[in-house]
């Protein structure tokens, strides 16, 4: 399950996010962030459910400040659904049930 | 996937349990809510100490124990520990905890025999845990809205059929999720919000929700132990806490509104001053200090609740298949 989620950085962002044929869910996080760690199993659980319609990646904001600035990330965890690298929606839910409902609304 | 605890080797089990017991007794392993290991003398969690890794896949390969079981046990202990600043301690903090809670750090490991398949223990624990929360014995029983209770019962009924081997259709799960979201949204008693939030996290197949359960449980325990402590707070703090619970729900709704699409929580609060004051009153340093004192007074109640969950897990671990 963990293998489905890719860690993206400033070197592979273009290839993995901008060029992705599928919409990409980006989880902005940092290793020191407790709520980010708490959210990770939820994201890991969602990834296989939406494997055919969505790519899921994580971005460590400490190591990728340019991507943090590009998405104007003010706090973490922060979830952005993107298409060709542009934000489609910021997902604000934090339970798998709510996130699935949010994604279902957007991806119909 | 079936697993063989300690890879089926008695000598490996003996060595592992002895090594963990020694570090745990010396408080050199810390009950965290995630897997943490350091090969030098740095920080290590209990699960990290067991497998000497912080790679989840390596943990399972080395121990034959599902990571969610180790993390759930560690999460229950973590909830019962007060981390107190102490400059003389090796990591800058001391861990204060009842012996009954700390003892669980090795009890659960010792309850597993070499070769046991404990891959379904968290799956079987989940319905027990939810039934406990829905029981009349649960201290917040009167605060759980009827709709939330009914939605939880629906999930339990589906899980029961699942455990009996029935394949549940996606449509049925989707209907259960829609129902639970509606019930959670409709809940009105702030003291019951934490149960609504818990139930809202659960309407998924057991195999899928088990790996996520330690994180769900941690969030619930944090909120529940705080609610136990609330009874020991002065009246104004209790009122501030209720306003904070209501405010947190309001903030959750605002985050989803189009006008706040790109706004941080701080930016939202700046635009809704009455919400900001409700959210901040309960977070003032002196209020937090009173909450800390109340938490200390509540420790016997917290220990009892945590110990009940630990004993429930131990009973499942000691049930030998066949």
């Amino acid at each position: 399950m963990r293998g489905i989620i890719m860690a993206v950085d400033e070197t592979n962002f273009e290839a993995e996010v901008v060029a992705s044929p599928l919409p990409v869910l980006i989880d902005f996080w940092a290793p020191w962030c407790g709520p980010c760690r708490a959210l990770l199993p939820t994201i890991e659980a969602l990834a296989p459910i939406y494997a055919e319609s969505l790519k899921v990646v994580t971005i460590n904001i400490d190591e990728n400040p340019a991507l943090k600035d590009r998405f104007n990330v003010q706090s973490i965890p922060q979830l952005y659904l993107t298409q060709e690298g542009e934000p489609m929606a910021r997902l604000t839910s934090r339970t798998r049930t709510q996130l699935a409902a949010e994604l279902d609304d957007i991806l119909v | 996937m079936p697993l063989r605890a300690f890879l089926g080797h008695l000598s490996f089990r003996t060595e592992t349990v002895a090594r963990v017991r020694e570090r745990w007794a010396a408080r050199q392993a810390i009950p965290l809510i995630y897997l943490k290991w350091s090969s030098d003398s740095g920080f290590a969690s209990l699960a990290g100490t067991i497998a000497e890794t912080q790679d989840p896949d390596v943990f399972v390969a080395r121990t034959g124990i599902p990571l969610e079981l180790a993390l759930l046990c560690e999460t229950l202990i973590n909830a019962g520990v007060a981390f107190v600043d102490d400059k003389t301690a090796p990591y800058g903090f001391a861990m204060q905890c009842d012996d009954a809670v700390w003892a669980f750090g090795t009890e659960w490991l010792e309850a597993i025999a070499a070769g046991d398949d404990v891959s379904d223990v968290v799956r079987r624990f989940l319905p027990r845990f939810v039934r406990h929360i829905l029981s009349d014995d649960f201290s917040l029983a009167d605060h759980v809205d009827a709709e939330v209770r009914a939605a939880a019962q629906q999930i339990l009924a589906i899980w029961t059929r699942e455990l009996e081997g029935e394949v549940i259709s996606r449509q049925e799960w989707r209907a259960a999720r829609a129902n639970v979201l509606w019930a959670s949204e409709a809940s009105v008693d702030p003291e019951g919000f934490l149960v609504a939030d818990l139930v809202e996290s659960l309407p998924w197949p057991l195999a899928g929700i088990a790996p996520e359960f330690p994180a769900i449980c941690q969030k619930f325990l944090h909120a529940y132990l705080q609610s136990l402590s609330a009874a020991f707070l002065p009246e104004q703090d209790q009122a501030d806490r209720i306003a904070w619970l209501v405010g947190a729900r309001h903030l959750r709704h605002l985050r989803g509104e189009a006008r706040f699409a790109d706004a941080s929580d701080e930016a939202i609060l700046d635009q809704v001053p009455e919400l900001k004051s409700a959210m901040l009153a309960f977070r003032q340093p002196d209020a937090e200090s009173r909450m800390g004192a109340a938490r200390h007074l509540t420790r016997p109640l917290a220990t009892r609740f945590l110990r009940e969950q630990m004993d429930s897990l131990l009973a499942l671990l000691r049930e030998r298949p066949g």
Side-chain angles (χ1 to χ4, degrees), chain A residues 1-2 31 34 37-39 41-42 45-46 49-50 72 74-75 78 80 90 92 94-98 100-101 104, chain B residues 34 56-57 67 177 180-181 197 200-204 208-209 211-212 215 219 252 255-256 260-264 266:
Chain A
M1 199 182 291
R2 271 173 273 273
R37 287 187 180 278
L39 184 62
T42 305
L46 276 174
I49 296 169
Y50 289 92
N72 192 26
Q74 303 283 332
S75 59
Q78 199 68 257
Y80 273 99
R90 187 178 67 134
T92 57
R94 290 297 176 260
T95 68
R96 192 196 324 185
T97 311
Q98 282 178 3
D104 288 344
Chain B
Y34 58 94
D57 296 328
L67 181 59
R177 282 196 282 281
V180 85
L181 283 172
D197 290 345
E200 193 186 291
S201 300
L202 299 176
W204 297 87
I209 199 71
E212 200 184 335
K219 193 173 154 196
R252 190 170 99 178
R255 283 191 199 115
F260 295 122
D262 292 314
S264 65
E266 291 73 16

Side-chain angles (χ1 to χ4, degrees), chain A residues 46-97:
Chain A
L46 276 174
I49 296 169
Y50 289 92
E52 289 173 9
S53 53
L54 191 65
K55 182 172 177 177
V56 182
V57 305
T58 58
I59 293 179
N60 180 336
I61 60 161
D62 287 349
E63 295 172 354
N64 301 284
L67 294 175
K68 175 180 177 252
D69 291 346
R70 176 175 176 150
F71 285 86
N72 192 26
V73 175
Q74 303 283 332
S75 59
I76 50 172
Q78 199 68 257
L79 298 173
Y80 273 99
L81 187 63
T82 66
Q83 183 82 59
E84 296 172 352
E86 295 302 320
M88 294 165 69
R90 187 178 67 134
L91 305 188
T92 57
S93 303
R94 290 297 176 260
T95 68
R96 192 196 324 185
T97 311

Side-chain angles (χ1 to χ4, degrees), chain B residues 93-115:
Chain B
F93 59 84
M95 295 179 280
Q96 296 175 350
C97 165
D98 285 346
D99 290 346
V101 169
W102 194 262
F104 186 63
T106 48
E107 280 174 346
W108 72 271
L109 200 59
E110 289 165 350
I112 303 172

Side-chain angles (χ1 to χ4, degrees), chain B residues 21-43:
Chain B
R21 195 188 289 134
E22 188 183 329
R23 290 187 66 85
W24 190 245
R27 303 212 165 194
Q28 290 168 340
I30 298 156
L32 301 177
I33 56 169
Y34 58 94
L35 185 61
K36 170 77 179 145
W37 171 248
S38 170
S39 52
D40 50 35
S41 55
F43 230 72

